[in-house]
Amino acid sequence: HASDSLKVGESLHNQHLSAWAKHDLGAALYRFDRIDDAYQYLTQAESINDTLHDRALTTNINLGLGAIAWKRQSLAEARQRFELCRKISRETGDRYREAYALGNLGLICGEVGDTPRQLAYYQQALAIHTEIGDVDAMCYAYNNVGYLCQMQDDYDGALVNYEQLRRLSDMTGNQPLRCLALVGLADAYLGLQNASAALEQAQLAR
């Protein structure tokens, strides 16, 4: 019986490694825009994980398959997968993946024109990115929130977020993001009818 148990344990260990390997292949292929191949590996990983119940793997697989569903405009499936990611991440205390799930849910809201909910999701994601000190993610989140504030004529809110983006881009030396922040600031000042301030930011962005 001990021998049988050991064999079962080895089999489960190998399945676990196989599932993660298939996930990693799928994630890599997605980055190269090989969507069909990525989908194949991720669904294989999901099938194996159905018997393993690895919650971290479940989250990663659903982030990947949710992104593929979004690319294929299967928005209901994408939302369902991102909601599952958020639920599991919150239960397990995985703030990093919870933030990305929230950002992706915001993306889905944007696809259907629900700007207020999109902004709310992005703000929740930004709060978590800030809490855990994920500077790269904070930069993109500040840009997203600033843009949506501007789209809703909240130019003061846009200024706050683009100024934060400018501060972080200066800190990290990221010139493309700094230019993005300055252009955002210029647009926000134009919305506030402050042409001189808008011109100053636009000149800095040149």
Side-chain angles (χ1 to χ4, degrees):
H1 294 298
S3 176
D4 290 342
S5 296
L6 181 59
K7 288 178 181 177
V8 170
E10 288 176 344
S11 176
L12 287 173
H13 177 67
N14 290 337
Q15 287 180 51
H16 196 251
L17 291 176
S18 176
W20 273 105
K22 288 179 184 297
H23 162 268
D24 292 347
L25 277 167
L29 288 164
Y30 179 85
R31 292 189 183 96
F32 286 99
D33 207 32
R34 290 175 55 183
I35 302 304
D36 291 341
D37 292 332
Y39 179 81
Q40 179 182 346
Y41 280 109
L42 287 169
T43 52
Q44 288 174 9
E46 185 175 49
S47 179
I48 297 170
N49 195 45
D50 283 343
T51 61
L52 300 174
H53 309 296
D54 182 325
R55 303 191 86 192
L57 183 55
T58 298
T59 302
N60 283 349
I61 289 170
N62 276 280
L63 281 173
L65 289 174
I68 290 173
W70 167 71
K71 274 187 172 287
R72 291 175 169 176
Q73 288 296 292
S74 300
L75 300 183
E77 179 189 347
R79 185 192 298 274
Q80 183 179 28
R81 289 188 178 279
F82 293 143
E83 284 284 9
L84 179 59
C85 291
R86 178 174 67 160
K87 177 179 182 293
I88 294 174
S89 298
R90 185 170 292 174
E91 290 171 354
T92 58
D94 187 343
R95 302 291 275 165
Y96 178 86
R97 285 175 179 78
E98 182 183 353
Y100 274 92
L102 287 164
N104 285 332
L105 285 166
L107 195 64
I108 300 301
C109 289
E111 289 282 351
V112 298
D114 190 348
T115 304
R117 283 190 72 189
Q118 183 182 17
L119 178 58
Y121 278 130
Y122 282 167
Q123 288 172 327
Q124 291 175 60
L126 173 58
I128 296 175
H129 291 316
T130 304
E131 174 193 321
I132 64 179
D134 188 342
V135 175
D136 287 341
M138 287 167 63
C139 286
Y140 290 104
Y142 276 124
N143 180 64
N144 288 339
V145 173
Y147 175 76
L148 288 179
C149 285
Q150 192 163 292
M151 291 294 291
Q152 297 186 107
D153 297 333
D154 178 10
Y155 299 112
D156 289 319
L159 282 177
V160 169
N161 284 279
Y162 283 128
E163 183 57 40
Q164 289 294 329
L165 175 58
R166 186 202 59 76
R167 179 182 64 81
L168 288 177
S169 62
D170 284 346
M171 185 178 78
T172 59
N174 190 320
Q175 288 303 308
L177 282 179
R178 184 174 188 273
C179 287
L180 196 63
L182 292 169
V183 170
L185 287 167
D187 288 343
Y189 277 122
L190 280 176
L192 291 169
Q193 307 300 311
N194 189 338
S196 60
L199 178 60
E200 179 183 354
Q201 299 301 319
Q203 289 174 331
L204 289 171
R206 291 172 56 189

